[in-house]
Amino acid sequence: MIYVTGDMHGSITRFDDKRISKLGKGDYLIVCGDFGFIWDGSRREEKALTFLSRLKFTLLFVDGCHENFDRLYKYPVTEWNGGRVRRIRPNLYHLCRGQVFDIEGNKIFAMGGGCSDDIELRQQRGTKWWPEETPSTEEMAEAVDNLFNCNLNVDYIITHDCPTKVKDLLSDDPCNFNAMTAFFDEMSRQVTYKHWFFGCVHRDRHLSSAHTALFEEIVPLEVPRTAFHVPKK
């Protein structure tokens, strides 16, 4: 089966979750951005990646706004299940931006990246920020081409950021409009899909019958379309 969860930020304790430990050979877990396990090349990081490589299931992730893109982009790009990926370990793949994958008979469109709201604050604190967090014009164009190759019809969408109208459901204040949300706004109008999962808001909530925000929860790809709050297990 295919499961989806939210941002991990390199926290190995997320894998203590009993729901993850139950996953086995043939299962998939997709992380909606800010994976964070490829960061500084330290011994601790290598130990964590070795641990992940021993998991029985396949671990997939789209990139978010808090990734070390210098390190991530050093991994070789290859083809996997119909789209381009970076192979981190035999069971661990970064889903490249704008690709459509065929997993268990589902067409899954994956699009990492976003636009950080705290760029100035991170720079003031001396925290590393990468401009590559925001997809380039070329990456967006490739995404559009791949969607048109599917006749603008996919089963599921996995992203880090989300459309403006969806993010507005989580706040009384209008969200910051940027290139990424504008791109997703247009996608939401033109693409047919069953469900859209994203992770940028660090909240667990079904926002509509077609949109789910994820953070720490782990849900099957085929979530109940009438549920509006992710049930605790």
Side-chain angles (χ1 to χ4, degrees):
M1 287 187 65
I2 305 171
Y3 298 86
V4 191
T5 191
D7 302 10
M8 288 188 166
H9 292 280
S11 175
I12 202 70
T13 59
R14 289 288 298 277
F15 292 89
D16 293 336
D17 194 306
K18 293 181 179 179
R19 292 167 295 181
I20 293 182
S21 63
K22 291 179 180 179
L23 302 185
K25 187 176 181 180
D27 289 328
Y28 300 85
L29 178 62
I30 307 177
V31 181
C32 294
D34 284 353
F35 184 61
F37 283 97
I38 302 164
W39 190 256
D40 57 9
S42 64
R43 285 187 178 183
R44 180 179 180 182
E45 179 177 287
E46 187 59 33
K47 185 177 180 180
L49 290 173
T50 298
F51 168 80
L52 297 181
S53 72
R54 293 172 178 166
L55 296 172
K56 296 179 181 179
F57 58 90
T58 300
L59 183 58
L60 312 170
F61 69 96
V62 298
D63 54 274
C65 296
H66 294 82
E67 314 283 4
N68 184 330
F69 290 98
D70 293 335
R71 295 190 61 81
L72 178 61
Y73 286 177
K74 288 181 179 179
Y75 285 91
V77 174
T78 186
E79 293 288 324
W80 181 84
N81 286 36
R84 293 189 301 108
V85 298
R86 287 184 173 85
R87 181 180 180 272
I88 313 301
R89 294 293 186 275
N91 66 327
L92 173 58
Y93 297 93
H94 166 233
L95 304 179
C96 294
R97 295 170 176 175
Q99 305 297 298
V100 178
F101 300 94
D102 186 343
I103 307 176
E104 293 190 346
N106 298 289
K107 285 192 294 184
I108 300 176
F109 173 80
M111 187 74 177
C115 299
S116 294
D117 294 331
D118 62 345
I119 294 175
E120 291 184 2
L121 182 60
R122 288 164 66 181
Q123 291 176 329
Q124 288 172 5
R125 292 176 176 176
T127 304
K128 184 67 175 176
W129 169 78
W130 285 266
E132 291 88 352
E133 69 170 31
T134 302
S136 66
T137 302
E138 291 77 15
E139 287 173 325
M140 291 185 183
E142 182 179 3
V144 171
D145 287 343
N146 289 334
L147 287 169
F148 270 101
N149 288 337
C150 295
N151 297 315
L152 297 178
N153 190 333
V154 296
D155 293 306
Y156 297 96
I157 295 176
I158 306 287
T159 62
H160 180 60
D161 215 327
C162 66
T164 309
K165 65 178 182 180
V166 176
K167 194 178 290 186
D168 281 343
L169 295 174
L170 289 164
S171 175
D172 294 332
D173 299 320
C175 78
N176 292 330
F177 187 78
N178 55 56
M180 198 76 261
T181 57
F183 180 80
F184 288 148
D185 286 345
E186 191 62 27
M187 263 186 57
S188 67
R189 286 190 286 267
Q190 297 200 36
V191 178
T192 299
Y193 55 93
K194 295 178 183 178
H195 211 87
W196 187 325
F197 299 90
F198 63 96
C200 66
V201 294
H202 287 193
R203 293 178 67 178
D204 294 297
R205 187 176 173 187
H206 287 305
L207 297 166
S208 72
S209 61
H211 300 92
T212 297
L214 286 173
F215 184 32
E216 296 180 332
E217 289 294 341
I218 301 154
V219 300
L221 192 68
E222 298 183 6
V223 297
R225 299 185 67 185
T226 57
F228 282 83
H229 294 280
V230 179
K232 293 284 185 180
K233 295 186 179 181

